Amino acid sequence: MTYRFEFNPYQRQFRHPLTTHHGIWKVREGIILRLVDEKGRVGWGEIAPLPWFGSETLEQALTVCQQFPSQITSTDIFSIPAEFPACQFGFESAWDGLVTSNGEDEGESRIETEQISQSLTHASLKYSYLLPTGEAALTSWQQGWQQGDRTFKWKIGVTSMESELRWFEQLVQILPESAQLRLDANGGLTQHQAQQWLQVADQAGIVEFLEQPLPPEEFAAMRAMYDQYRTAIALDESVATLNQLKTCYQQGWRGIFVIKAAIAGSPTQLRQFCQAHDIDVVFSSVFESAIARQAVLNLAVELSHPHRAVGFGVNHWFV
Ligand SMILES: O=C(O)CCC(=O)c1ccccc1C(=O)O
Ligand SMILES: [Mg+2]
């Protein structure tokens, strides 16, 4: 079977830029893929790279697309090298969509409206609400609470530790008792700061986990901290791709794994690994648009830890 292959780069500005320890991110760039089989069935995919997290760049992804002929086979799709994890995800999920598609070409309208038509199964997931970075979190959590979210995520390691600790204490005071809070440092803390955060988190009781306190090179220190504190630790940047995830697992990581499936690589291989190992996973967004989000949420329904909210809590990312 051969498939007709088309691709279209896109650029979309966020309504709210994302501020993290890595800097300010304003525009999502990616590539929409379309496959059509000999029966006219259509499969859509999306490549949504995150180079500052260790995936390929948009330029590299474009080169992969340009090097394919306009008719491709599943062998082409399954031979994309692991150094292009966002491409592996985009092409495989487009191919997957073909297999399950009923022949209706619904993709155009999905891109146009951006509104994710959340299927019933996606409604069974719990969502984590991403708070704005800094002091703004103190007044914005209600929005998430009102739409039913009970898990909140807040970026730290962005400005002075003193200010962030002060805002954190205020946030702990005002959040309702049944709320849970995730702290995401994006690898931006020193070991001493990470220990301070874990101490206050242990006392606060509301913190579900501290995400990626140290840069990936400091794996051993994070593993040691995991044993020393009650608050759980989640790896994110350290496990951006499936190969990194496997390495951390083999090196004895038994804390939480954040999976950003859109940049993790082959969804088939990701599924195999998650089903073969009893790991505590949290699915999370890379601010992909509706096509990749749909594919990621399908995986999350299948593989997510039932008590862990998925990190897709805000639906108004694009202008
Ligand atoms: O995981 C979530 O809850 C929201 C998504 C998120 O924080 C994120 C989104 C895009 C890029 C990086 C990150 C991150 O987890 O650091
Ligand atoms: Mg993170």
Side-chain angles (χ1 to χ4, degrees):
M1 177 80 92
T2 65
Y3 309 100
R4 197 168 84 237
F5 162 55
E6 291 161 10
F7 65 98
N8 257 306
Y10 73 86
Q11 268 198 354
R12 309 183 78 175
Q13 204 185 325
F14 297 129
R15 186 172 299 173
H16 306 292
L18 177 71
T19 305
T20 72
H21 178 70
H22 301 283
I24 302 176
W25 181 28
K26 295 180 178 162
V27 180
R28 175 16 109 209
E29 296 179 306
I31 307 169
I32 301 297
L33 310 176
R34 186 171 180 266
L35 299 177
V36 187
D37 76 6
E38 289 155 10
K39 295 181 189 144
R41 293 183 303 186
V42 178
W44 292 88
E46 177 184 346
I47 303 173
L50 203 61
W52 47 275
F53 239 72
S55 91
E56 70 273 54
T57 62
L58 179 76
E59 287 68 32
Q60 289 172 312
L62 277 170
T63 306
V64 170
C65 293
Q66 282 154 359
Q67 281 173 356
F68 276 141
S70 57
Q71 295 282 334
I72 64 174
T73 64
S74 57
T75 310
D76 291 326
I77 290 171
F78 286 90
S79 6
I80 298 172
E83 56 184 301
F84 306 110
C87 291
Q88 287 184 322
F89 179 85
F91 277 93
E92 263 187 57
S93 42
W95 185 79
D96 233 35
L98 258 177
V99 174
T100 54
S101 123
N102 56 13
E104 286 198 20
D105 192 352
E106 58 194 347
E108 295 287 4
S109 60
R110 269 206 267 159
I111 304 172
E112 293 283 306
T113 61
E114 163 59 29
Q115 281 304 314
I116 178 168
S117 51
Q118 287 200 348
S119 69
L120 281 173
T121 51
H122 297 172
S124 73
L125 293 167
K126 289 200 292 177
Y127 290 79
S128 159
Y129 185 85
L130 184 60
L131 295 165
T133 306
E135 195 172 11
L138 296 172
T139 49
S140 296
W141 63 273
Q142 282 103 332
Q143 220 177 314
W145 185 267
Q146 275 158 17
Q147 65 188 40
D149 297 331
R150 295 296 177 261
T151 303
F152 297 86
K153 179 168 170 177
W154 190 50
K155 297 289 183 184
I156 61 170
V158 178
T159 175
S160 83
M161 177 98 187
E162 203 191 356
S163 315
E164 289 181 351
L165 279 173
R166 194 155 27 86
W167 296 326
F168 172 75
E169 295 299 347
Q170 293 172 350
L171 201 52
V172 170
Q173 292 302 313
I174 53 177
L175 282 176
E177 210 141 291
S178 56
Q180 283 196 303
L181 184 60
R182 298 172 172 179
L183 299 173
D184 189 0
N186 284 103
L189 304 178
T190 64
Q191 288 187 30
H192 178 66
Q193 290 173 330
Q195 283 161 346
Q196 279 179 280
W197 274 111
L198 286 163
Q199 257 161 31
V200 295
D202 276 2
Q203 281 157 18
I206 193 178
V207 178
E208 183 187 8
F209 55 74
L210 173 61
E211 184 169 321
Q212 195 73 38
L214 308 177
E217 309 83 80
E218 295 178 50
F219 175 81
M222 288 189 281
R223 202 179 47 188
M225 282 173 195
Y226 172 78
D227 294 326
Q228 284 161 11
Y229 296 88
R230 210 152 27 99
T231 302
I233 301 178
L235 296 183
D236 188 11
E237 280 86 341
S238 290
V239 294
T241 65
L242 179 59
N243 283 341
Q244 288 172 289
L245 194 157
K246 286 180 177 168
T247 304
C248 288
Y249 182 79
Q250 279 152 13
Q251 291 177 351
W253 184 257
R254 294 299 176 267
I256 300 163
F257 297 83
V258 174
I259 297 185
K260 291 178 157 41
I263 57 163
S266 156
T268 316
Q269 288 174 39
L270 178 66
R271 186 183 286 112
Q272 274 166 9
F273 187 82
C274 291
Q275 285 169 346
H277 301 89
D278 185 23
I279 56 175
D280 188 351
V281 300
V282 171
F283 278 79
S284 159
S285 129
V286 292
F287 300 163
E288 55 282 84
S289 63
I291 289 176
R293 192 187 318 158
Q294 195 94 21
V296 173
L297 290 177
N298 288 343
L299 274 173
V301 167
E302 209 184 322
L303 304 171
S304 195
H305 191 296
H307 302 299
R308 302 274 184 212
V310 296
F312 285 80
V314 176
N315 276 330
H316 54 280
W317 285 110
F318 298 110
V319 171

